[in-house]
Amino acid sequence: MTAKEINNCNADPSEFLRNNGYESLFKNHRKSVFHHAVSYVKGLISLPRGSNMSKISDNIIGSGTCRDLSYFITSSPWSSEDVMKLTRSHAIHLLGPGGAVIFDETGQQKYGPASVGTSFQYLGKTGHTCTAQVGVFASYCVDNVSALVDYRLFIPESWITDHEKSMNAKIPLESQEHKTKPELALEMLDSFISEGIPFRYVQADGLYGNDSKFISGLYERNVSFICDIPSDTLVYITLPEPVLPKRQGNRGRFPTKLKILNTSPVSVKWLAEIQKTWEPVFVRLTDRGIKTADCAVLTVWRRQNGNHVNVPVRLIMIRDPETDAIRFAFSNIMDADTKVIAKMQANRYWIERNFEDAKGLCDMDSFRGRNWNSWHHHIALVALSLLFLLMIQLNFKKKGNI
């Protein structure tokens, strides 16, 4: 949807929040701050990008003063976790069971070191390392419709070792622990499993697919997955058989380390170069027409931490017919045919679309708050705003207006 369509649809965020059970979640001790939540959501979706508290206060009727809104975001004790949990519940109910949980990270470039979690790190938006604040997000996708359903702020090690800096940003003591992005994704996944979210499989990009602990964690949780991998990933194309080599000569110790002698690892890029049979696959409809890709699927055996893994996986190779660029992914879904698993892998696009909408329509990456509470409050309200817009969009589709 465009901003013009949003403003012309006459949908009321206040009514949406009240009818969906959000009103009781916005309390400052015993005092309701629901009207601030409504004003903030209205500001996110209706005002120009980069609007601050002053602009919301000046342009949204009933929002209160700039100081009131600032306190609501930075210091008010309402729970962003409770708001996000309710948003997640509504999103799952709206989209239905059998979807994909997709993990990815995005962030915001910062021009000072004080904002919580800010450090010199890679930012996909810029394509290089810079001073940035990064979060790991989860999206739930069913039939090319998706919604953001959870998030975690990535805290670099430099913040954990600087206790004073962490305390100034008001990071809770229980959260002053460095966790990698894949570890944060597994943390969210555990929450989804405990809540009984009816997802079918997990998706993630190469940062996660190349992390042995993340893949092992998915196997330990008995979760189906499709995870991207780098093009230089090494695999075996036949079942590796470890043997104990014979001792050479009569001197020296007997070998104690198993070795693979019946086959050698090869890169997935090399397998794509020698692959002769590619199957054309319909991916999705786009603004420019039908998106197609060429796909090939092989059964291979992974290497993990330099050692072989006995369990086979499927290597998915997807080639863009326009650019000849090839993406690679591992999957433990062994029974889906080539066309089905290629379309499943293509679902990862939808979390990127969620980020695009969150930034373009809900001002996710223009936030200026510095402390832990303000970032989590802001992102929770952005996800809530996205759900509101998604419901409008689906309602328009039912009526045939878009």
Side-chain angles (χ1 to χ4, degrees):
M1 296 185 72
T2 65
K4 184 177 180 180
E5 288 172 332
I6 294 168
N7 288 327
N8 290 339
C9 69
N10 294 322
D12 183 9
S14 176
E15 182 179 349
F16 165 77
L17 268 65
R18 186 173 286 109
N19 291 343
N20 286 281
Y22 287 96
E23 186 172 10
S24 62
L25 300 182
F26 293 103
K27 288 187 177 181
N28 181 9
H29 304 295
R30 295 184 180 182
K31 180 182 177 182
S32 173
V33 289
F34 177 67
H35 60 295
H36 290 320
V38 172
S39 298
Y40 198 83
V41 169
K42 287 182 178 180
L44 289 176
I45 63 179
S46 64
L47 296 181
R49 278 177 53 80
S51 295
N52 55 24
M53 303 298 178
S54 295
K55 290 184 179 179
I56 295 176
S57 177
D58 292 341
N59 291 277
I60 303 299
I61 297 174
S63 60
T65 66
C66 172
R67 184 175 180 179
D68 291 338
L69 285 172
S70 296
Y71 182 84
F72 169 75
I73 289 295
T74 61
S75 303
S76 186
W78 60 271
S79 170
S80 58
E81 290 184 6
D82 290 346
V83 171
M84 196 65 236
K85 188 173 183 179
L86 183 57
T87 298
R88 180 162 57 248
S89 176
H90 286 313
I92 303 303
H93 179 75
L94 180 67
L95 301 183
V101 168
I102 312 169
F103 295 111
D104 203 355
E105 69 280 347
T106 190
Q108 175 182 354
Q109 187 171 4
K110 293 288 187 177
Y111 298 96
S115 296
V116 61
T118 296
S119 72
F120 196 71
Q121 55 188 312
Y122 180 80
L123 185 63
K125 181 180 178 180
T126 63
H128 56 78
T129 55
C130 61
T131 303
Q133 183 184 57
V134 175
V136 180
F137 292 79
S139 179
Y140 183 75
C141 178
V142 178
D143 295 333
N144 295 345
V145 183
S146 60
L148 292 180
V149 292
D150 210 355
Y151 59 89
R152 295 289 188 276
L153 178 63
F154 174 68
I155 304 295
E157 285 187 81
S158 59
W159 277 77
I160 304 305
T161 56
D162 191 337
H163 183 68
E164 182 179 356
K165 191 175 183 179
S166 296
M167 294 305 294
N168 287 339
K170 299 182 179 179
I171 301 177
L173 287 175
E174 63 272 18
S175 298
Q176 291 185 24
E177 175 186 0
H178 173 69
K179 296 179 181 178
T180 66
K181 294 167 186 175
E183 286 173 339
L184 294 174
L186 287 175
E187 185 179 282
M188 287 186 275
L189 181 61
D190 286 336
S191 296
F192 301 158
I193 293 172
S194 66
E195 291 174 20
I197 290 179
F199 67 91
R200 182 182 175 191
Y201 62 100
V202 163
Q203 281 190 271
D205 68 11
L207 174 69
Y208 306 85
N210 196 40
D211 189 284
S212 59
K213 291 182 179 179
F214 181 76
I215 298 298
S216 296
L218 297 179
Y219 275 111
E220 291 168 2
R221 291 161 176 80
N222 196 28
V223 170
S224 299
F225 64 83
I226 303 176
C227 292
D228 290 3
I229 55 173
S231 61
D232 59 355
T233 301
L234 297 177
V235 298
Y236 296 102
I237 57 176
T238 57
L239 176 63
E241 299 175 359
V243 297
L244 195 63
K246 294 181 179 180
R247 186 174 67 167
Q248 301 294 324
N250 297 322
R251 294 184 178 182
R253 297 180 180 180
F254 284 93
T256 58
K257 186 177 181 180
L258 296 174
K259 291 187 177 181
I260 305 297
L261 301 179
N262 69 312
T263 184
S264 298
V266 297
S267 72
V268 295
K269 182 180 180 180
W270 180 79
L271 289 176
E273 291 172 351
I274 66 170
Q275 180 68 26
K276 296 181 178 180
T277 305
W278 295 82
E279 187 171 349
V281 175
F282 164 78
V283 176
R284 62 179 173 272
L285 289 173
T286 70
D287 294 337
R288 294 181 294 176
I290 297 175
K291 173 70 175 177
T292 62
D294 300 326
C295 183
V297 178
L298 304 174
T299 298
V300 299
W301 285 262
R302 295 188 304 119
R303 283 166 57 88
Q304 182 167 302
N305 300 326
N307 299 315
H308 75 287
V309 177
N310 286 328
V311 180
V313 294
R314 301 182 87 180
L315 171 64
I316 306 168
M317 301 182 287
I318 298 181
R319 183 177 64 191
D320 189 323
E322 297 179 1
T323 64
D324 283 336
I326 302 176
R327 301 191 310 275
F328 302 91
F330 279 150
S331 176
N332 62 348
I333 304 173
M334 309 301 288
D335 55 351
D337 65 31
T338 299
K339 290 185 177 181
V340 171
I341 203 163
K343 289 188 69 174
M344 292 168 69
Q345 193 281 335
N347 276 340
R348 206 179 69 76
Y349 159 82
W350 293 104
I351 191 169
E352 297 172 359
R353 180 59 184 270
N354 287 151
F355 293 154
E356 181 182 326
D357 290 342
K359 295 173 183 181
L361 298 177
C362 300
D363 216 13
M364 182 172 77
D365 62 341
S366 298
F367 186 61
R368 299 178 180 86
R370 291 186 174 185
N371 70 26
W372 173 273
N373 215 31
S374 63
W375 187 87
H376 285 79
H377 280 176
H378 172 71
I379 299 298
L381 291 171
V382 167
L384 193 164
S385 301
L386 276 179
L387 178 64
F388 171 64
L389 297 181
L390 177 60
M391 287 186 170
I392 294 174
Q393 184 179 23
L394 295 179
N395 187 48
F396 269 47
K397 282 185 176 181
K398 287 181 182 179
K399 294 179 179 179
N401 292 330
I402 58 175

